[in-house]
Amino acid sequence: MLPYFDPEYENFNQRINPPRVCIDNTTCSDCTLVKVDSMNKNGILLEVLQVLSDLDLHIFKAYITSDGGWFMDVFHVVDKQGQKVTDDKTIKYIEKALGPESNLLGAKGSNSPGRSVGLHSIGDHTAIELKGPDRTGLLSEIFAVLADLQCNVLAAEMWTHRMRVACVVYVNDVATGQAIEDPGRVSQIETRLRHVLRGYGHGGDGGEDGRGAHANFAVGSTPHHVDRRLHQLMHADVDVDGDGDGDGAPAAAVAAGAESDRPVVTVEHCEEKSYSVVNVKCRDRSKLLFDIVCTLTDMQYVVFHAAVSSEASYGIQELYIRRKDGKTLLKDEAERVIRCLEAAISRRVSEGFTLELCGRDRVGLLSDVTRVLREHGLTVTRADVTTVGGQATNVFYVRNPSGQPVDMKNIEGLRGRVGQTVMLSVKSVPATVTKAPEPGSGGVARASFFSFGNLFAKLRA
């Protein structure tokens, strides 16, 4: 006879030791400290980073440790303007999403509001996932097909990298405002979108490289965080492309990317503690740590310790990881981690201009706007579409298809075409995100870098 086991025992420690979060605006003069401690759980670091990422908070320094069943993190963050986080709504959101009332230790992951369907609730919807070869005007064709099939786009996010595209679109029926569930109509949408993704001249076999017609399409609710899902959709292409710049990438675009701006990723072995150490140095930017941890988590690796810092415009990260079975990485695994992290870091980077269009939402708006972009010779490298209360906010990252700088005449022509019905804001994409300098410092503050490797060396001495 087996001994009795109380089913509530597993949750007992969680009840007496719930997650705790502290928002500290007094310790540092130029940033906010977000301190999180809790019982450890697989994937908890990624869930914390998802919350901070959804709020567009930039992490320029962090100390992470999760050995011994306990999880303790300190994040130094600033908002998009490089200032402390002082907004009461934002602070309360963090406290609710990461504190005792959160589901941070829940068996099924966090249910905190976030980017599961965009930043805002969009009501009854159908989720569509697309992946395939990229080309100029593809987004315009996708939105044109959806408009023709009487699908209203509520939210969407699209990434491109190495001539591949991944997109998550949330739609409902124009007539009813409800999710599209009729099998016949779903099949019709799928057929049309698959045809668009195949492109012209490829036939049904995917072209010479065997990948032209390859596209994943799914209709239904998606529980995944949008950014994480986009990483997953593009992740499989990394092994096919290798560590090059991808076939079909414009030569000018490749030349435009300076060699010094490419991420430097190395993997070493820490004999003292049996860790594999991932070191990353690259241009600092928003959501960098999230992209790295997201990729490692989906590759079934666990981050036990990490030290993150920014020096001038560069981000430096040192992550101590193991496989889920507790073992360190083999040589071939290390090479794959390097390749996948380089891709994950690069695919969110955009050059050129951002076009932010705000106006009253209507059926076919996205089809019209993206058609105008295509007619003006602009390629969309990323897109973020949201609709709140009938108001549409569409952000497009655009560049010249040849990799050359965007001609400002095209931007002015675009303003004349779309500015009559919607507000258009044009901005140059910033190279980096930096925090505000300390008073009297005369420039951007440089954060000192703490290394766990240095700590281990000191303990041995």
Side-chain angles (χ1 to χ4, degrees):
M1 181 177 179
L2 296 175
Y4 173 74
F5 179 78
D6 188 345
E8 291 298 317
Y9 178 78
E10 185 177 355
N11 299 322
F12 179 69
N13 280 335
Q14 297 180 12
R15 294 200 304 270
I16 64 174
N17 295 303
R20 292 179 301 220
V21 59
C22 173
I23 312 298
D24 180 358
N25 268 319
T26 60
T27 300
C28 295
S29 61
D30 60 342
C31 68
T32 298
L33 269 60
V34 179
K35 306 173 184 178
V36 182
D37 63 280
S38 151
M39 288 186 59
N40 196 17
K41 184 197 75 168
N42 183 41
I44 190 172
L45 174 60
L46 180 57
E47 294 181 22
V48 171
L49 291 174
Q50 283 180 176
V51 172
L52 301 179
S53 173
D54 293 341
L55 294 170
D56 289 325
L57 300 180
H58 177 58
I59 301 170
F60 66 89
K61 186 191 294 186
Y63 306 115
I64 297 164
T65 182
S66 61
D67 260 348
W70 200 257
F71 173 83
M72 293 180 289
D73 290 356
V74 178
F75 302 97
H76 295 234
V77 304
V78 292
D79 61 19
K80 289 190 292 185
Q81 288 72 42
Q83 304 296 324
K84 283 186 175 185
V85 181
T86 57
D87 179 66
D88 288 340
K89 290 184 178 180
T90 302
I91 292 175
K92 289 180 180 178
Y93 176 93
I94 297 174
E95 291 174 340
K96 182 177 181 180
L98 302 179
E101 297 180 4
S102 71
N103 192 35
L104 202 60
L105 293 175
K108 296 183 180 180
S110 174
N111 62 357
S112 60
R115 294 179 58 78
S116 58
V117 288
L119 284 173
H120 307 274
S121 175
I122 57 175
D124 200 10
H125 66 273
T126 296
I128 301 174
E129 296 179 356
L130 303 169
K131 186 182 78 166
D134 188 29
R135 66 177 185 276
T136 301
L138 176 60
L139 189 62
S140 173
E141 295 177 40
I142 291 173
F143 286 143
V145 166
L146 293 174
D148 185 59
L149 295 175
Q150 297 298 296
C151 299
N152 183 39
V153 178
L154 302 172
E157 189 153 349
M158 183 269 284
W159 290 359
T160 63
H161 186 234
R162 293 176 180 167
M163 301 305 295
R164 302 288 290 175
V165 61
C167 185
V168 179
V169 187
Y170 300 96
V171 302
N172 64 12
D173 181 72
V174 170
T176 66
Q178 303 297 313
I180 301 171
E181 298 177 343
D182 177 67
R185 192 171 177 195
V186 167
S187 178
Q188 181 187 23
I189 296 171
E190 178 177 358
T191 300
R192 290 281 299 274
L193 289 177
R194 282 186 181 275
H195 179 73
V196 168
L197 286 169
R198 287 191 182 98
Y200 304 104
H202 290 296
D205 61 356
E208 294 181 359
D209 63 358
R211 299 170 58 229
H214 178 69
N216 290 337
F217 182 89
V219 174
S221 60
T222 172
H224 296 286
H225 186 271
V226 173
D227 287 6
R228 183 176 184 183
R229 188 60 186 142
L230 289 170
H231 274 302
Q232 291 172 338
L233 289 173
M234 302 197 83
H235 179 72
D237 293 331
V238 176
D239 289 330
V240 178
D241 285 336
D243 56 2
D245 290 294
D247 294 335
V254 174
E259 190 70 24
S260 60
D261 287 342
R262 295 188 64 175
V264 177
V265 183
T266 61
V267 177
E268 302 171 350
H269 185 66
C270 177
E271 297 288 349
E272 294 81 6
K273 297 292 183 179
S274 297
Y275 291 115
S276 293
V277 187
V278 178
N279 292 286
V280 179
K281 182 177 181 180
C282 62
R283 287 282 182 179
D284 198 16
R285 61 165 174 79
S286 178
K287 303 184 181 182
L288 177 61
L289 181 58
F290 168 83
D291 292 338
I292 291 173
V293 173
C294 177
T295 301
L296 291 173
T297 301
D298 286 334
M299 294 180 72
Q300 305 300 308
Y301 299 118
V302 179
V303 178
F304 286 88
H305 303 285
V308 176
S309 185
S310 298
E311 292 190 4
S313 60
Y314 284 88
I316 301 176
Q317 303 192 7
E318 180 186 60
L319 304 100
Y320 285 70
I321 70 172
R322 292 184 187 137
R323 289 161 37 178
K324 275 192 173 181
D325 60 7
K327 297 180 180 179
T328 56
L329 279 61
L330 301 175
K331 183 179 180 180
D332 59 336
E333 288 182 292
E335 293 173 352
R336 185 167 181 265
V337 166
I338 291 173
R339 189 167 61 247
C340 291
L341 286 180
E342 288 176 343
I345 293 168
S346 300
R347 68 173 62 113
R348 200 193 284 268
V349 175
S350 298
E351 298 178 353
F353 289 85
T354 60
L355 306 179
E356 183 174 338
L357 301 98
C358 302
R360 192 70 183 173
D361 188 33
R362 61 174 174 81
V363 178
L365 173 63
L366 288 169
S367 176
D368 294 342
V369 169
T370 52
R371 185 184 69 251
V372 172
L373 293 176
R374 181 178 60 181
E375 290 172 354
H376 281 77
L378 298 176
T379 294
V380 179
T381 59
R382 278 176 55 200
D384 189 353
V385 175
T386 56
T387 305
V388 183
Q391 191 75 7
T393 300
N394 307 323
V395 180
F396 301 98
Y397 294 76
V398 301
R399 63 170 176 81
N400 187 297
S402 65
Q404 299 298 320
V406 174
D407 188 346
M408 289 308 297
K409 292 182 179 180
N410 289 339
I411 297 295
E412 292 304 319
L414 175 66
R415 190 188 300 276
R417 293 283 300 275
V418 304
Q420 306 299 322
T421 56
V422 297
M423 294 178 59
L424 172 64
S425 174
V426 182
K427 299 178 183 178
S428 177
V429 177
T432 59
V433 180
T434 56
K435 69 186 184 71
E438 295 183 12
S441 64
V444 177
R446 294 170 63 91
S448 61
F449 182 62
F450 169 84
S451 168
F452 281 104
N454 293 340
L455 175 61
F456 292 146
K458 290 178 181 179
L459 290 177
R460 293 197 309 271

